[in-house]
Amino acid sequence: MADAAEEIFAAVRAAANNGAPLYLQLKKSIEDAVRRGIIGPGDALPSERDIAARADVSRVTVRKAVQDLVKGGILVQRHGSGTFVAPRVERVEQSLSLLTSFTEDMARRGMTVRSEWLDRGVYAPSPEEMMVLGLSSSDMVARISRLRIANDTPLAIERASLSSSVLPDPGAVGTSLYATLEKTGHRPVRAVQRISATNLGEADARLLAVPAGSASLNIERISYLATGKAIEFTRSIYRGDTYDFVAELRLASPSEQSGAR
Ligand code: 16G
């Protein structure tokens, strides 16, 4: 990083006299260095103090530039260990014909999984939850919302609602919701999924560590028990730069063709 740092800082010092806000110049220099591969994915940035001294700018300027780059998904900050160039994200291919859980999907790829809890609790159901899950206004709904992270990269935000009759205690969910449901014989066996394209708002983009407005996929999954009862209604937001959903198609039989019209 020594030569790379020198290149970044020289550009900033040179710009000090041209009137452009220094934090923008520093931001651009770091961005350029990442784009040109002078500093690569996972590389550590020098400390705030070091950058300030060598680029001859204030620490406030450094902090502002770095914060903007973190917001934009170019850099990541890890508490206690510093600031790094965001790791390169591998695309994940996901079959649309198998009813699997996030934990299973990632384990199959040899990726580690963890989740950050955004919410979990038991609530009175919304009209939509009542309709989808077949609940009455006196029933309760368990909600669990998680940021799903694989190999330290946030991939998706999942907000699941389940009838509290199948998940009375959302606190019982560890890494995997489906593993918890499996234990009580409530693992879904069938699901209908609806996928649409969208652009991320500020808050979701921050959670997923990508720039606001980035492409993403909205996925709604309604899952059913073998009895036909809907038990899970999950709204997920997947990063558009990481997921390829793959469906296998076959030629429809004549009766299916007429049914499809
Ligand atoms: C998947 C499902 C989600 C389900 C979760 C359970 C999609 C779009 N969503 O991510 O509906 O709640 O798996 O995963 O595939 P878990 O057992 O690891 O908690």
Side-chain angles (χ1 to χ4, degrees), residues 125 129-131 133-137 139-141 162-164 229:
E129 287 166 331
M130 278 166 41
M131 200 178 69
L133 298 172
L135 303 175
S136 73
S137 54
D139 291 325
M140 298 299 273
V141 80
L162 296 102
S163 156
S164 70
K229 183 178 160 56

Side-chain angles (χ1 to χ4, degrees), residues 33-51:
V34 172
R35 209 189 38 246
R36 289 164 51 205
I38 295 169
I39 39 175
D43 283 352
L45 227 63
S47 70
E48 191 180 285
R49 190 189 317 158
D50 199 15
I51 299 179

Side-chain angles (χ1 to χ4, degrees), residues 59 103 133 140 151 164 180 244:
R59 286 178 68 164
T103 307
L133 298 172
M140 298 299 273
N151 279 5
S164 70
T180 305
D244 287 324

Side-chain angles (χ1 to χ4, degrees), residues 39-79:
I39 39 175
D43 283 352
L45 227 63
S47 70
E48 191 180 285
R49 190 189 317 158
D50 199 15
I51 299 179
R54 294 171 69 183
D56 201 14
V57 295
S58 74
R59 286 178 68 164
V60 177
T61 299
V62 179
R63 202 166 307 147
K64 203 153 185 273
V66 167
Q67 271 166 3
D68 267 21
L69 290 165
V70 169
K71 235 196 211 162
I74 309 264
L75 300 178
V76 287
Q77 272 175 325
R78 296 197 197 110
H79 291 297

Side-chain angles (χ1 to χ4, degrees), residues 218-249:
N218 262 349
I219 307 180
E220 267 187 23
R221 179 186 283 197
I222 303 176
S223 320
Y224 301 85
L225 295 177
T227 57
K229 183 178 160 56
I231 55 140
E232 179 201 4
F233 174 38
T234 296
R235 269 178 292 220
S236 309
I237 301 168
Y238 278 70
R239 273 172 61 163
D241 62 341
T242 58
Y243 261 83
D244 287 324
F245 284 94
V246 179
E248 186 181 309
L249 311 177

